[in-house]
Amino acid sequence: MKEYLHKVRNLAIIFILLIVSGQVAAAGIQDHFPLIQKFFPEADGVGDLEGQPASAAVLKGSNVLGYVYYTDDVIKIPAYSGKPIRTLVGFDIEGKIVGLKIVHHEEPILVVGISDADLQAFIDQYLNKYVNDKIKVGGRDRDGYKSIDSISGATITVMVLNATINQSMRKVAEARGLLSLDGEILAQTKAFDEEPIWIYVWRGKVFQISVLILGLAVLMLILVMQDWIAQHPTFLIYLRTGFLIYTVVFIGWYSLAQLSIVNIFTFVNSFMHGFSWDNFLIDPMMFLLWGFVAVTVLLWGRGVYCGWLCPFGAMQELIFRITERCKCPTFEFPEVVHERLWAIKYIILLGLFAVSMQSLVMAEKLAEVEPFKTAVTLRFAREWSYVLYAAGLLLISAFNRKFYCRYVCPLGAALTFPSKFRIFEWLRRYKECGRPCQICRNECEVRAIRSTGEINANECHYCLDCQVTYWNAYKCPPLAEKRKKRERTSKLSESMQK
């Protein structure tokens, strides 16, 4: 009997919650009536959300002024966070857009980085356009398309937002009998609406994709031919410097393709709540970079990304080189302190991951410990506190090589875990390394070589400096000894011939 009553009680609670949630959902549009009045100044009421797709009539007395709806009630296109953006849209009975307002989103760049004023300025570009207009982000008006400006640093998000608004308002207008297109125009509009958003994005970024693929191909060639390149140290210096500049300018500032720990949290969250490749294909540059990182982590370890492809890491390296060239004083922590500082980035990673399990939005805010959004995505065009933080890390890196990468970066810490499954050991060592030779260890730019000679792959940034020494017959003691032995043998042979 008690068990039966317990079940009845649970069913009653569920029933009540469903009723309450239904009332809240029904009341949602009413709660936004003050906002709807800004869309329709003459309105004195709004109906309930009804129909398929759901929309509500905006009323002046008994007259219908137009309709309002929530975009995610009509079509759910996942944005970069993997979740749709909820936008309130209103258009009048002539099909003219009279108001839009984002009411909920979980986009990383919009949570922290893009101001409400920037976002509203983007949204306002839709005003006075019509539901049958084909609106695209970027470029100029042509071929029947009307263009609107993007938001710097949030291109992918606004493309998703644009597709959501375009498709949803046409569905609502058609359901309400306000949209009538004929023949070829109807076919073109449906094709425009039905095309997956990621295909549209990839088509618009052919140049960036091509240059990125070329750069990744060059890096792959460097990695495969590292033994030969390491035997030509001057060539390696110019090659690496040029690639670091390419990483900062093209991958970072131009393409805004800075990977982040937030990407990993988004992937994990998507995997746990309905994985879809469309969520990740939507940003071609990030998709290609993550694909390349996945391959190189298993073959070479995390150092390939951290040492060659991270824009903020490349900034630090280039700044340190300038400081070094100017013969400015630099400093290093004592070995016992240095090894303990490594733990900081793992603690930060675990903390962010724990928060992301509860709230991805909160994790995105706390992930500002990464200066990437400020220094790369927004190119320092941000509030002074964020700029001061990013600039401070770069300043420290001028005197302590890649300080942030070595001790703070949660993304670098996350990449060490799959690195443990790398298939090959590409960095060559002699049995004499560390026993007693310490040349490579003393020259390692991130101090990733132990006193016993082993390379700590979890901390290596794959600069190849140790490989330059490995092949240098005048610098590496084992090779120098062999060279001297050959020279003595050669001299002895010459003397005997005389």
Side-chain angles (χ1 to χ4, degrees):
M1 185 65 178
K2 288 183 179 180
E3 184 179 351
Y4 174 76
L5 291 174
H6 182 70
K7 289 181 179 180
V8 170
R9 186 190 66 180
N10 288 343
L11 288 172
I13 292 172
I14 293 171
F15 181 70
I16 291 170
L17 289 174
L18 286 173
I19 292 175
V20 172
S21 64
Q23 290 175 342
V24 171
I29 199 71
Q30 305 295 337
D31 291 341
H32 281 124
F33 183 65
L35 180 58
I36 294 170
Q37 278 190 308
K38 293 181 180 180
F39 298 172
F40 300 88
E42 298 179 357
D44 55 22
V46 60
D48 294 331
L49 289 169
E50 57 186 9
Q52 187 61 38
S55 62
V58 181
L59 306 170
K60 180 184 179 182
S62 60
N63 296 324
V64 176
L65 300 178
Y67 300 93
V68 290
Y69 69 95
Y70 297 110
T71 53
D72 60 333
D73 286 344
V74 180
I75 184 169
K76 298 182 185 296
I77 300 179
Y80 196 73
S81 64
K83 298 180 180 179
I85 299 171
R86 186 173 178 82
T87 307
L88 179 66
V89 180
F91 54 82
D92 62 21
I93 56 174
E94 294 180 353
K96 183 171 71 173
I97 304 170
V98 295
L100 304 95
K101 182 69 175 179
I102 294 177
V103 295
H104 180 75
H105 68 82
E106 296 184 19
E107 291 300 276
I109 192 66
L110 301 183
V111 169
V112 181
I114 301 298
S115 69
D116 291 340
D118 291 335
L119 192 57
Q120 192 58 48
F122 171 78
I123 289 294
D124 287 344
Q125 295 179 91
Y126 290 89
L127 296 177
N128 300 318
K129 291 181 171 59
Y130 287 83
V131 295
N132 60 344
D133 288 336
K134 294 187 292 184
I135 305 169
K136 68 184 182 71
V137 177
R140 48 196 175 91
D141 295 353
R142 64 178 182 181
D143 301 330
Y145 288 86
K146 292 186 177 181
S147 64
I148 57 177
D149 295 329
S150 182
I151 300 178
S152 179
T155 305
I156 301 302
T157 298
V158 298
M159 283 184 172
V160 171
L161 187 58
N162 178 64
T164 302
I165 292 171
N166 267 307
Q167 296 179 34
S168 63
M169 66 184 177
R170 274 192 277 276
K171 289 179 182 292
V172 172
E174 188 175 12
R176 290 291 184 171
L178 300 181
L179 183 62
S180 57
L181 299 175
D182 297 323
E184 185 178 349
I185 297 177
L186 180 60
Q188 291 176 356
T189 302
K190 285 188 175 180
F192 177 77
D193 286 347
E194 292 171 2
E195 182 180 64
I197 182 64
W198 69 267
I199 294 179
Y200 171 72
V201 175
W202 281 64
R203 187 185 299 120
K205 293 198 171 191
V206 172
F207 170 74
Q208 289 153 282
I209 292 170
S210 300
V211 176
L212 178 62
I213 290 175
L214 179 62
L216 297 179
V218 169
L219 180 55
M220 182 62 77
L221 189 63
I222 292 171
L223 296 173
V224 171
M225 299 184 64
Q226 65 181 47
D227 287 343
W228 180 85
I229 293 174
Q231 295 177 56
H232 300 80
T234 303
F235 174 66
L236 174 59
I237 290 173
Y238 285 113
L239 181 63
R240 180 162 163 75
T241 302
F243 201 93
L244 292 176
I245 294 172
Y246 159 84
T247 296
V248 173
V249 176
F250 177 76
I251 294 180
W253 289 336
Y254 181 76
S255 299
L256 310 179
Q258 168 75 64
L259 303 187
S260 166
I261 190 64
V262 173
N263 303 141
I264 295 179
F265 294 159
T266 303
F267 179 85
V268 173
N269 188 269
S270 175
F271 191 78
M272 294 172 62
H273 301 96
F275 181 83
S276 172
W277 280 113
D278 288 355
N279 296 353
F280 303 96
L281 285 166
I282 199 168
D283 190 335
M285 304 298 284
M286 301 289 268
F287 182 82
L288 291 172
L289 266 177
W290 274 116
F292 187 83
V293 169
V295 172
T296 54
V297 160
L298 293 177
L299 294 178
W300 287 274
R302 69 110 165 178
V304 174
Y305 174 74
C306 296
W308 293 81
L309 290 171
C310 176
F312 192 76
M315 283 185 206
Q316 292 179 87
E317 176 63 17
L318 292 171
I319 288 172
F320 184 86
R321 289 190 181 189
I322 294 171
T323 303
E324 202 173 35
R325 181 67 63 90
C326 295
K327 297 183 179 179
C328 296
T330 60
F331 72 93
E332 284 289 350
F333 295 103
E335 187 68 22
V336 65
V337 177
H338 163 71
E339 291 190 349
R340 282 157 178 76
L341 288 176
W342 276 344
I344 294 175
K345 59 179 177 284
Y346 295 99
I347 295 172
I348 293 173
L349 170 64
L350 292 174
L352 289 175
F353 182 74
V355 172
S356 73
M357 293 292 98
Q358 176 65 29
S359 171
L360 188 58
V361 173
M362 181 57 68
E364 289 162 359
K365 292 179 179 179
L366 294 177
E368 284 294 322
V369 69
E370 294 180 327
F372 306 156
K373 191 180 294 182
T374 300
V376 181
T377 308
L378 299 176
R379 308 183 192 95
F380 295 99
R382 206 175 179 192
E383 296 88 343
W384 68 268
S385 56
Y386 293 102
V387 173
L388 187 63
Y389 173 66
L393 289 173
L394 291 174
L395 181 62
I396 294 173
S397 71
F399 305 100
N400 182 268
R401 198 168 200 159
K402 303 187 83 170
F403 172 86
Y404 173 81
C405 299
R406 287 196 278 176
Y407 306 127
V408 184
C409 183
L411 176 61
L415 292 178
T416 63
F417 292 99
S419 293
K420 296 181 183 298
F421 299 99
R422 69 186 184 283
I423 302 171
F424 303 108
E425 291 290 347
W426 295 77
L427 298 178
R428 299 176 181 272
R429 309 298 287 154
Y430 291 109
K431 63 181 181 180
E432 293 87 353
C433 293
R435 305 177 184 86
C437 180
Q438 300 291 317
I439 293 176
C440 291
R441 177 172 177 266
N442 293 333
E443 292 182 347
C444 178
E445 69 174 39
V446 293
R447 297 173 69 183
I449 301 179
R450 297 190 176 93
S451 59
T452 51
E454 298 90 354
I455 296 174
N456 184 349
N458 291 336
E459 303 299 330
C460 174
H461 287 195
Y462 225 86
C463 65
L464 297 179
D465 285 352
C466 62
Q467 300 305 285
V468 171
T469 301
Y470 178 92
W471 293 103
N472 191 327
Y474 290 87
K475 193 173 184 179
C476 180
L479 281 187
E481 182 62 31
K482 292 178 181 178
R483 175 183 57 80
K484 291 175 182 178
K485 185 176 180 179
R486 286 197 304 270
E487 289 175 352
R488 287 195 297 268
T489 302
S490 178
K491 288 180 181 178
L492 179 61
S493 178
E494 289 177 1
S495 62
M496 291 180 63
Q497 289 178 0
K498 292 179 180 179

